[in-house]
Amino acid sequence: MTTLYEALRDSVAEARLVAAATVIRGAGLGGKLLLWPNGASMGSLGAPHLDETVRTRMMEQLATQQAERFTLPWAGETLEIFIEVHAPPPKLIIVGAVHMAIPLVTFGKALGFYTVVLDARSAFATPERFAHADRLLIQWPADALPTLGIDESTCVVVLTHDEKIDNPALAFAVRSPARYIGALGSKKTHARRVAALHELGVTDADIARIHAPIGLDIGARRPEEIAVSIIAQIVAVVNGAAP
């Protein structure tokens, strides 16, 4: 039978998001509870009602991927609990080997992202242009995205401005647990995209996950400036500083 510590070890080794809550002061000192995003849990802090109370906080921390230390009145005393979140390594998937993707890869790598550039157009997706990317794929998104292990630490950026590439990529991304999804294009372009995604069976709730027009509004015009606005928005979303 798998122990709690083996389950935690395996989740970390397999890059699966998991939260671990530990009583660090008070009754039940050392008690530990694990929680995964699908609601599965393992262990206990000492009482079912306490577990349920802390589980709610743990789900919030899983969403932000941030640790938390807090006190909780319990059975006439004060418990101190620490929630630690073990997240998969951050990954940046760029759909579209356009010019702005070149500096975006540079910025992503500087922030610790594993970078993947994906485009079916071999004239753009060349090793010479993307030698600095961790992985370069010349494939259609519908074929490649299911193989890339999109998880809660993955950011997906769609840049081609080609509906044949962008829309299938977005239809897959919004149904995944990706942490950030952004798409290049004006408000008018996005309105057409929304209609196309509806035809693909995508719900309004899923479409609402797309940041479009992509990037923070910093007046960016040159490709390098647009890349700055995109990576800034990703940082803001990851840190909980932007919707």
Side-chain angles (χ1 to χ4, degrees):
M1 184 176 181
T2 302
T3 68
L4 185 146
Y5 295 99
E6 288 171 338
L8 177 59
R9 178 202 63 196
D10 292 346
S11 287
V12 173
E14 296 166 8
R16 290 188 289 126
L17 181 64
V18 61
T22 307
V23 178
I24 59 176
R25 179 166 62 87
L29 181 67
K32 190 176 290 288
L33 175 67
L34 302 183
L35 182 69
W36 288 267
N38 64 1
S41 63
M42 186 176 185
S44 176
L45 301 180
H49 183 59
L50 175 60
D51 291 343
E52 188 59 36
T53 299
V54 175
R55 191 179 285 114
T56 300
R57 299 283 286 261
M58 294 173 77
M59 287 300 292
E60 294 172 357
Q61 300 315 116
L62 282 170
T64 63
Q65 296 187 19
Q66 299 292 324
E68 182 185 29
R69 181 172 177 169
F70 63 97
T71 57
L72 185 69
W74 184 258
E77 65 171 314
T78 299
L79 302 183
E80 189 168 1
I81 296 170
F82 178 62
I83 298 174
E84 185 176 13
V85 178
H86 300 271
K91 181 161 47 187
L92 175 62
I93 299 175
I94 301 170
V95 178
V98 297
H99 188 63
M100 75 183 70
I102 298 172
L104 186 56
V105 169
T106 300
F107 299 148
K109 288 181 68 65
L111 291 173
F113 285 90
Y114 179 87
T115 56
V116 179
V117 177
L118 165 63
D119 202 319
R121 304 167 300 178
S122 57
F124 296 98
T126 66
E128 292 76 20
R129 300 180 75 224
F130 292 98
H132 58 322
D134 292 298
R135 192 174 181 189
L136 176 63
L137 296 173
I138 304 174
Q139 290 180 267
W140 291 98
D143 297 325
L145 289 176
T147 72
L148 294 179
I150 295 176
D151 56 35
E152 296 87 352
S153 293
T154 301
C155 298
V156 180
V157 174
V158 178
L159 303 176
T160 75
H161 234 306
D162 184 334
E163 293 181 1
K164 298 188 302 297
I165 298 175
D166 288 356
N167 292 346
L170 289 168
F172 183 85
V174 297
R175 292 164 172 149
S176 78
R179 193 164 191 191
Y180 170 92
I181 304 165
L184 185 68
S186 66
K187 291 182 179 179
K188 186 175 180 180
T189 297
H190 188 60
R192 291 198 304 270
R193 178 186 294 134
V194 167
L197 289 173
H198 281 153
E199 291 181 4
L200 294 174
V202 181
T203 67
D204 286 331
D206 284 338
I207 291 171
R209 299 182 60 203
I210 302 171
H211 293 266
I214 197 171
L216 297 183
D217 185 3
I218 59 173
R221 285 176 172 77
R222 295 188 295 125
E224 295 81 3
E225 294 172 342
I226 297 172
V228 168
S229 76
I230 293 170
I231 203 69
Q233 187 175 59
I234 288 173
V235 170
V237 170
V238 167
N239 291 335

